[in-house]
């Protein structure tokens, strides 16, 4: 019922919600336990890499729930979370816990919980619960919860059985979220035939009217960008994306949107009423526009940039792998901190193993050594991400990020890990959304609820210079 090839499987949680709901369902088999590879000079090899092969199935033997050396990946941990023998539901004054053990009373387990608000521990305790198998119990909060938070409120419950095996689940606590209100003045814009510039005490930005985005962002005397900022829709195909490759990429010249060879058309770009207003579209080479949009930038005297994207995906286009902005940052911007699901990679159909809160990482730590290089390192449910020497990105609505030492094209073109080469930049994605992972390399198509298939897009976020916020 699930295929663990490469970055996956996704959607496991939904299966187990159904399995727990209906007594006649008992589970299923995941194909398969471990990747099968032969390591040669530190590189994982697979079918087609050896002389004398009469036949092979390429990397289809690399479909394990664990890597060939039996180490875990995010998919492993997602399965463990789905298999957790309990579920929690948030109530107004506590939580209800459902015991899914067949024979074990939760009194035989060690239980602890922790309430976090905006990433700070608000309440934590250990407790003992007398909850027979298949019954429900309740944990009451010791403190009254506040009414408002900034980023989010969550409860995390840990259940450890007699063998010391721990299961951890987290649920969101419904709470009103307040945005930050600022009294700001718009920065004066200087427009020429080809550029629009804005400058202040600690920043200088150059916007290209031909490319439709920023070509230079200097903050505190440092140039941040290696390449112009781009709005893109492609991701390096995962093993479970393989069936969509013909529709997304240029692999099949008759079907694909050619998103791996994307161009942008600028219809109009101007400075008006203190804003940069761009009307443009993106399309794969020799294809009709897949996304037509208006992008409005507001730049303020403190260096903050407000991105306001509104657009429409072509009605006849297939669902998209992702949609968002790509920044190629100077290598010194390697470290970052974010509020979202982590520390491991997370996607809309594979985030239950992760915890929503504050996490710190680097581009190198985000790399996942999949046998065939592919999309990885995404983080779901993000509200803020900051780079100490660059900027902070905040949004009132959750967005998604990816920070990598490799570009999308490097990951997409490589068939083995030793083909990735080096990159001159730290590659950051600020995404409206990314589609889920699924199991479609050897299973059903990705469920519609996990596809980026909406046609009307609205995405707002603010970029604030790190030393000016």
């Amino acid at each position: 019922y699930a295929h663990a090839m490469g970055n996956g499987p996704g959607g496991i949680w939904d299966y187990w919600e159904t399995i727990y709901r209906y007594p006649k369902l008992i589970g299923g088999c995941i194909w398969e336990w471990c990747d099968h590879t032969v390591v040669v000079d530190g590189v994982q090899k697979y079918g087609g890499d050896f002389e004398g092969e009469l036949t092979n199935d390429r990397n289809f033997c690399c479909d394990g729930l664990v890597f060939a050396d039996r180490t875990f990946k995010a998919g492993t941990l997602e399965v463990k979370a789905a298999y957790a023998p309990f579920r929690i539901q948030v109530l107004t004054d506590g939580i209800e816990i459902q015991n899914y053990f067949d024979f074990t009373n939760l009194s035989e387990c060690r239980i602890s919980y922790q309430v976090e608000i905006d990433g700070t521990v608000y309440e934590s305790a250990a407790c003992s619960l007398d909850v027979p198998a298949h019954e429900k119990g309740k944990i009451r909060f010791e403190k009254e919860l506040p009414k408002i938070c900034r980023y989010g409120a969550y409860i995390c419950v840990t259940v450890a059985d007699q063998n010391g095996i721990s299961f951890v689940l987290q649920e969101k606590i419904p709470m009103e979220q307040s945005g930050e209100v600022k009294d700001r003045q718009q920065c004066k814009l200087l427009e020429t035939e080809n550029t629009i510039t804005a400058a202040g005490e600690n920043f200088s930005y150059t916007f290209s009217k031909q490319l439709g985005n920023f070509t230079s962002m200097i903050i505190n005397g440092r140039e941040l960008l290696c390449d112009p900022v781009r709005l893109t829709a492609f991701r390096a195909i995962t093993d479970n994306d393989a069936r969509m490759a013909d529709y997304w990429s240029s692999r099949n010249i008759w079907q694909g949107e050619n998103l791996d060879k994307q161009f942008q058309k600028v219809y109009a770009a101007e400075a008006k009423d203190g804003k940069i207003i761009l009307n443009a579209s993106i399309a794969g080479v020799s294809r009709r526009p897949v996304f037509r949009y208006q992008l409005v930038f507001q730049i303020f005297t403190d260096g903050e940039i407000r991105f306001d994207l509104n657009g429409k995906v072509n009605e006849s286009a297939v669902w998209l792998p992702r949609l968002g902005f790509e920044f190629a940052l100077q290598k010194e911007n390697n470290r970052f901190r974010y509020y979202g699901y982590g520390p491991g990679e997370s996607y809309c159909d594979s985030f239950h193993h992760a915890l929503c809160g504050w996490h710190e990482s680097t581009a190198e730590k985000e790399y996942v050594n999949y046998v065939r290089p592919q999309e990885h390192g995404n983080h779901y449910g993000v509200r803020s991400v900051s780079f100490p020497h660059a900027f902070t990105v905040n949004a009132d609505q959750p967005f998604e990020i990816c920070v990598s030492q490799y570009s999308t094209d490097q990951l997409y073109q490589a068939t083995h890990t030793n083909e990735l080469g080096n990159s001159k930049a730290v590659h950051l994605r600020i995404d409206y959304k990314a589609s889920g992972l699924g199991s479609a390399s050897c299973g059903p198509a990705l469920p519609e609820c996990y596809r980026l298939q909406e046609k009307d897009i609205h995405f707002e976020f603010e970029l604030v210079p790190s030393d000016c916020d």
Side-chain angles (χ1 to χ4, degrees):
Y1 73 112
H3 198 244
M5 192 173 186
N7 190 353
I12 293 294
W13 184 269
D14 292 351
Y15 274 108
W16 276 84
E17 289 295 274
T18 304
I19 290 166
Y20 278 147
R21 190 176 302 121
Y22 298 102
K24 290 184 178 181
L25 293 178
I26 61 171
C29 296
I30 295 176
W31 193 270
E32 64 180 319
W33 169 240
C34 65
D35 287 342
H36 301 285
T37 65
V38 176
V39 179
V40 179
D41 297 328
V43 180
Q44 300 176 91
K45 302 287 188 176
Y46 49 79
D49 288 335
F50 307 96
E51 292 184 9
E53 293 182 61
L54 297 179
T55 185
N56 72 80
D57 206 9
R58 299 188 300 276
N59 67 320
F60 213 68
C61 56
C62 309
D63 54 0
L65 191 58
V66 298
F67 290 115
D69 62 1
R70 278 46 173 184
T71 53
F72 293 170
K73 60 180 182 177
T76 323
L77 301 177
E78 182 70 7
V79 170
K80 180 185 177 183
Y83 285 2
F86 70 99
R87 291 291 187 266
I88 55 177
Q89 182 178 353
V90 177
L91 308 174
T92 55
D93 59 346
I95 61 167
E96 182 179 77
I97 184 167
Q98 169 75 57
N99 181 3
Y100 280 117
F101 278 118
D102 286 327
F103 307 103
T104 304
N105 191 307
L106 287 184
S107 62
E108 300 179 36
C109 301
R110 290 182 289 107
I111 300 175
S112 60
Y113 73 91
Q114 186 167 284
V115 175
E116 285 193 5
I117 300 176
D118 296 334
T120 300
V121 177
Y122 181 79
E123 176 181 328
S124 63
C127 59
S128 178
L129 287 178
D130 179 12
V131 184
H134 296 288
E135 297 295 330
K136 295 179 181 179
K138 187 174 181 180
I139 298 174
R140 295 185 183 276
F141 297 141
E142 296 177 356
K143 300 179 182 178
E144 183 178 350
L145 299 180
K147 304 297 183 183
I148 299 175
C149 64
R150 172 75 189 279
Y151 298 111
Y154 293 84
I155 182 164
C156 181
V157 177
T158 301
V159 174
D161 66 18
Q162 292 176 322
N163 297 314
I165 299 174
S166 296
F167 296 91
V168 182
L169 295 182
Q170 186 188 60
E171 287 290 334
K172 187 172 185 177
I173 300 173
M175 192 176 291
E176 182 182 345
Q177 292 178 228
S178 63
E180 187 177 6
V181 179
K182 296 180 181 179
D183 183 16
R184 299 162 300 181
Q185 291 184 332
Q186 288 186 335
C187 184
K188 183 178 180 180
L189 303 177
L190 177 62
E191 184 173 10
T192 66
E193 181 181 359
N194 295 318
T195 64
I196 301 171
T197 58
E201 183 179 352
N202 297 306
F203 69 92
S204 175
Y205 305 141
T206 302
F207 178 92
S208 169
K209 296 166 68 175
Q210 295 172 313
L211 298 178
N213 223 309
F214 293 97
T215 56
S216 174
M217 299 181 72
I218 298 173
I219 293 177
N220 299 317
R222 298 187 182 98
E223 174 59 69
L224 301 184
L225 302 181
C226 295
D227 292 311
V229 180
R230 301 172 63 223
L231 178 69
T232 61
F234 191 63
R235 72 183 182 194
I237 302 296
T238 70
D239 289 313
N240 286 317
D241 286 337
R243 294 183 191 175
M244 292 304 300
D246 282 354
Y247 300 95
W248 289 342
S249 73
S250 57
R251 192 173 75 176
N252 185 323
I253 62 170
W254 304 109
Q255 289 181 293
E257 292 286 355
N258 296 350
L259 297 177
D260 57 324
K261 302 182 185 300
Q262 179 191 294
F263 287 83
Q264 175 159 280
K265 172 70 173 178
V266 174
Y267 304 110
E270 62 177 338
K272 184 177 181 181
D273 299 328
K275 303 174 184 178
I276 300 174
I277 301 175
L278 170 73
N279 287 285
S281 66
I282 57 174
V285 61
S286 76
R287 293 293 185 265
R288 71 208 183 298
V290 70
F291 181 55
R292 292 180 180 268
Y293 64 93
Q294 181 179 83
L295 181 54
V296 177
F297 302 89
Q298 285 183 273
I299 305 176
F300 300 95
T301 54
D302 63 357
E304 178 182 318
I305 307 173
R306 185 78 184 178
F307 289 66
D308 187 351
L309 174 68
N310 289 277
K312 191 171 186 64
V313 177
N314 192 300
E315 288 293 337
S316 63
V318 296
W319 52 281
L320 300 178
R322 47 164 290 276
L323 182 68
F325 296 86
E326 290 194 54
F327 295 74
L329 302 177
Q330 301 287 347
K331 285 237 177 175
E332 65 185 33
N333 300 293
N334 184 52
R335 293 188 300 112
F336 66 101
R337 182 173 185 257
Y338 65 97
Y339 185 91
Y341 283 95
E345 59 188 345
S346 56
Y347 293 79
C348 60
D349 66 342
S350 180
F351 66 90
H352 301 87
H353 67 282
L355 300 179
C356 195
W358 287 107
H359 303 280
E360 295 186 6
S361 188
T362 65
E364 288 82 6
K365 288 181 181 178
E366 293 296 293
Y367 175 66
V368 183
N369 191 38
Y370 291 116
V371 178
R372 183 185 67 78
Q374 58 195 270
E375 154 74 20
H376 66 273
N378 191 75
H379 292 288
Y380 175 72
V382 174
R383 291 290 308 280
S384 179
V385 58
S386 59
F387 295 80
H389 301 298
F391 49 70
T392 296
V393 171
N394 299 311
D396 291 336
Q397 297 298 320
F399 57 101
E400 303 188 40
I401 65 167
C402 180
V403 180
S404 178
Q405 57 187 327
Y406 301 111
S407 69
T408 297
D409 192 60
Q410 282 178 291
L411 291 167
Y412 180 53
Q413 297 298 334
T415 59
H416 296 82
T417 54
N418 63 321
E419 299 168 5
L420 285 168
N422 297 311
S423 174
K424 65 180 180 180
V426 169
H427 299 275
L428 164 68
R429 291 195 327 232
I430 303 293
D431 281 351
Y432 163 70
K433 284 184 183 179
S435 290
L437 299 171
S439 283
S441 56
C442 188
L446 184 72
E448 291 191 6
C449 61
Y450 297 125
R451 301 176 187 178
L452 201 180
Q453 62 180 2
E454 54 259 56
K455 298 300 182 181
D456 295 304
I457 306 295
H458 174 65
F459 183 31
E460 287 186 58
F461 63 89
E462 60 185 27
L463 183 154
V464 185
S466 289
D467 292 337
C468 302
D469 55 2

